Amino acid sequence: MAATNIEVWQLGTVVEVRNIAANVQRVVLEPSRPKTAEPGSHIDVMVSIDGHQDKRSYSIVESAEDGTQLVISVLKAPLSRGGSLFIHALQPGDQLEITQPLQNFPLRVGAQRYILLAGGIGITAMINMAQVLRNLKADYTFVYAGRNRAAMAYLEELQDLHGENLVVHIDDEGTSLDVDALVAGATEDTELYMCGPIRLMDAVRRSWTERGLSYPNLRFETFGNSGWYDPEEFVVKVPSLGLQVLVGPGRSMLEALEDAGADMMFDCRKGECGLCEVRILQLEGAIDHRDVFYSSRQKNATEKMACCVSRAVTSKTGLTAEASPSGPAIVTIEVS
Amino acid sequence: MTEVRTQSSTTNKVLGYPLDVWYVAAWDKEVTRKPMSRKVAGRPLALYRTEGGKAVALADACWHRLAPLSLGKTLGKDQIQCPYHGIVYNSAGRCVSMPAQETINPSATVPSFPVVERHRYVWVWLGDPTKADPELVPDMHQLDSPEWAGDGETIHAPCNFQLVLDNLMDLTHEEFIHSSSIGQEELSESDFVVTHDDGTVTVSRWMFNIDAPPFWLKNMRDKFPGFEGKVDRWQIITFRSPSVINIDVGVTKAGTGAYEGDRSQGVNGFVMNAITPESDKSCHYFWAFMRNYRLDSQLITTQLRDGVHGVFGEDEAMLAAQQAAIDANPDYEFYNLNIDAGGMWVRRLIERQLESEGRLVPGA
Ligand code: FES
Ligand code: FES
Ligand SMILES: [Fe+2]
């Protein structure tokens, strides 16, 4: 849908900020050039992190019909690249650069049955869709999984609105989501839309493929910001360019290489297109593949990586505490 | 219909086209397993049928580099392959295969538009898909009712669709443009009645005890061999917003009660018109002439279709010339006559539809 994805930048004025769950800030914006937001759409936002500008994508959670108000709700992620801290610091009256709504995750009207799956803050991508399905009286199940109630934004509103169509899974209450059981409930005509942490989405993808369900009926949105491991500092070496660069936990490998003067090719910067591919020559540590471009076969082969989102890690278990004390992971690569 | 606009753009020479509506994209027979291209309301579409026979409308531009999918080929149950680098989409417009990689980019989709097949046409909805209710397809049941027979054609008219609507809502032009077939001076002399509601406009005209023009005399003789004498004639034009006009036409032997409801002593036809905007200056004009007598005569079907083809050819030439004159005189306005009442109500309804979609540009 290239035509609907032309970035039109405008000013957004913050009119309201409110904490709606643990570390989740709801921000109401008034765009200077309003445009109706379709379900599944997001805006790109210019955030400033330590003095430099950077672009982040946030789902539009709620919007006025004519687009004159847009709501984003953002989780403060201590290990993230810093965009969420900027959003959390916003106050009414602040202005920031935002795009008009962009669409990469369109809801198709007319499917026989829908499953919407939200993990944690991924709920922000699903709320608008669920609302549309409810209005259409479609056959849908809305699954919301989280760690504990306090962390789950919008939970009560959604329970009121969707009643029995909403199924809630809460780890701390012993009702964790069983992905295989969920996918077992899908038929050939079911479309499943999901947004959540990469582990959840990988599990659903695996289960979906194992059951032989139609892959195009599995819809997901990823902004490339979640991995199997927590982000660590690591070293990237590019012998052909004579570069050795330290990639901080808040920067991507692509950004760090660009900062160091490498002329890098890229397009989506969120792990979809594969244009930022680099070849791995040598590796001390492991690769945390965060893209959806490579197949699992290709990921396991560790020959290439999408440097816009994927990282090198020392830890094999996913916990920062397990990071090797002997220093950062080192990945040696060749670029195109 | 509550609010009345004071500032009106109904006399604009060129109106925009609504999107939250069903438009005829093609005759049912045109859409096959071999993809075809057709532009509807400014949007190029690739139309094809699935193996199961369901009509599909996708945007006619591949997600990758916008190559027209209509030049591609259909595959499997419901898929179409881009002719350039081979990306395959299903009927929902989702990529199902990217030949050069092991995974599928989740963003790779082309818009798939809601489609309904009804009354021998394939209808598409280009606006908000959540509003695409098949019940909103305008009634054109004469096209596929066993009580009616006939056939039609498509004119690719080089003019704004509104000019065709204007043309059909005021048939006094028949006297001048169609003098050799259906025109007669009683048309512009006779009185007409205009009514409207939220979604329709009707113009009725009755002429009593007149000579039948050549087209109608032939039709009367098809049903009543050797017929001579005066007739009562009617034209009841019904517009269904935003782009369908059905015209109930016919003649009966004079004084046999047609106006009161008894049409048994005559012949009745329905001119079915669906005018689909293509661009600001062109449209697809789908028409058919249906009759309710001698249903099994293919000869009459063909004769009527060819006859109307000739008549509409005369309109097409005028519409092309009118659009050219409009373009050549950008500083000149339209003015209105009393006979334009039907056309003006049509413009008012279209204007309201555009307004409800938030797409009315004042004074545009
Ligand atoms: S830039 Fe698209 S996958 Fe990295
Ligand atoms: S343009 Fe269609 S696959 Fe490249
Ligand atoms: Fe005419």
Side-chain angles (χ1 to χ4, degrees), chain A:
Chain A
M1 286 235 247
T4 58
N5 260 345
I6 295 164
E7 288 179 16
V8 178
W9 287 90
Q10 57 176 344
L11 272 186
T13 306
V14 178
V15 294
E16 197 189 319
V17 297
R18 187 157 50 92
N19 183 266
I20 53 165
N23 291 320
V24 179
Q25 190 85 338
R26 175 179 180 274
V27 179
V28 184
L29 295 167
E30 261 174 20
S32 55
R33 298 173 63 185
K35 187 182 155 220
T36 307
E38 291 173 19
S41 56
H42 66 274
I43 51 173
D44 282 356
V45 177
M46 272 303 168
V47 297
S48 92
I49 303 167
D50 304 334
H52 64 252
Q53 295 277 95
D54 215 345
K55 200 166 79 174
R56 291 288 182 275
S57 300
Y58 297 108
S59 299
I60 297 169
V61 194
E62 307 157 49
S63 65
E65 178 141 15
D66 54 4
T68 48
Q69 289 209 333
L70 301 174
V71 176
I72 58 174
S73 288
V74 176
L75 173 69
K76 175 153 45 169
L79 293 168
S80 88
R81 296 177 280 164
S84 64
L85 297 176
F86 171 85
I87 301 288
H88 275 246
L90 290 172
Q91 291 301 323
D94 287 352
Q95 292 200 316
L96 61 169
E97 278 180 77
I98 63 174
T99 61
Q100 286 187 338
L102 300 169
Q103 177 62 286
N104 266 330
F105 193 34
L107 173 73
R108 185 172 78 96
V109 175
Q112 294 279 310
R113 208 177 106 65
Y114 297 86
I115 299 173
L116 305 182
L117 170 60
I121 195 63
I123 192 69
T124 54
M126 311 308 305
I127 285 178
N128 239 333
M129 286 194 184
Q131 176 78 49
V132 169
L133 293 180
R134 180 178 174 272
N135 293 348
L136 287 172
K137 300 191 170 64
D139 179 357
Y140 72 99
T141 305
F142 187 2
V143 182
Y144 186 8
R147 232 164 257 159
N148 56 63
R149 259 169 219 275
M152 293 171 74
Y154 296 99
L155 184 56
E156 274 171 26
E157 291 100 302
L158 293 173
Q159 275 170 327
D160 289 346
L161 192 63
H162 296 282
E164 294 197 336
N165 287 327
L166 186 78
V167 180
V168 178
H169 294 280
I170 303 175
D171 295 343
D172 286 1
E173 299 181 9
T175 58
S176 296
L177 173 67
D178 175 346
V179 166
D180 287 328
L182 175 73
V183 173
T187 62
E188 212 192 310
D189 299 322
T190 304
E191 298 195 353
L192 191 154
Y193 293 74
M194 61 176 176
C195 185
I198 197 162
R199 284 168 192 247
L200 173 65
M201 300 218 282
D202 277 351
V204 174
R205 268 193 290 269
R206 198 170 325 112
S207 185
W208 194 265
T209 317
E210 274 166 15
R211 296 196 72 86
L213 292 162
S214 151
Y215 197 66
N217 282 352
L218 181 60
R219 314 306 303 165
F220 48 92
E221 174 152 66
T222 161
F223 296 127
N225 48 16
S226 124
W228 278 83
Y229 302 87
D230 285 338
E232 299 169 12
E233 188 174 75
F234 65 98
V235 173
V236 55
K237 294 182 182 172
V238 194
S240 64
L241 300 178
L243 282 178
Q244 169 156 344
V245 179
L246 195 62
V247 184
R251 298 293 276 163
S252 73
M253 182 165 149
L254 175 60
E255 288 164 344
L257 288 167
E258 286 171 333
D259 290 349
D263 192 5
M264 300 295 294
M265 183 50 68
F266 62 87
D267 180 23
C268 69
R269 298 185 86 105
K270 58 181 182 179
E272 290 187 352
C273 71
L275 266 178
C276 64
E277 168 173 289
V278 296
R279 268 186 304 122
I280 300 170
L281 303 176
Q282 223 184 335
L283 179 63
E284 286 167 46
I287 298 295
D288 182 10
H289 287 286
R290 297 173 165 218
D291 63 279
V292 292
F293 172 73
Y294 296 114
S295 65
S296 27
R297 183 195 71 77
Q298 290 169 310
K299 285 177 181 169
N300 292 335
T302 330
E303 285 163 358
K304 298 167 181 175
M305 68 189 283
C307 72
C308 63
V309 292
S310 300
R311 314 184 60 88
V313 288
T314 50
S315 168
K316 305 264 186 198
T317 61
L319 295 170
T320 319
E322 300 289 320
S324 157
S326 63
I330 302 170
V331 57
T332 308
I333 60 164
E334 179 62 294
V335 297
S336 70

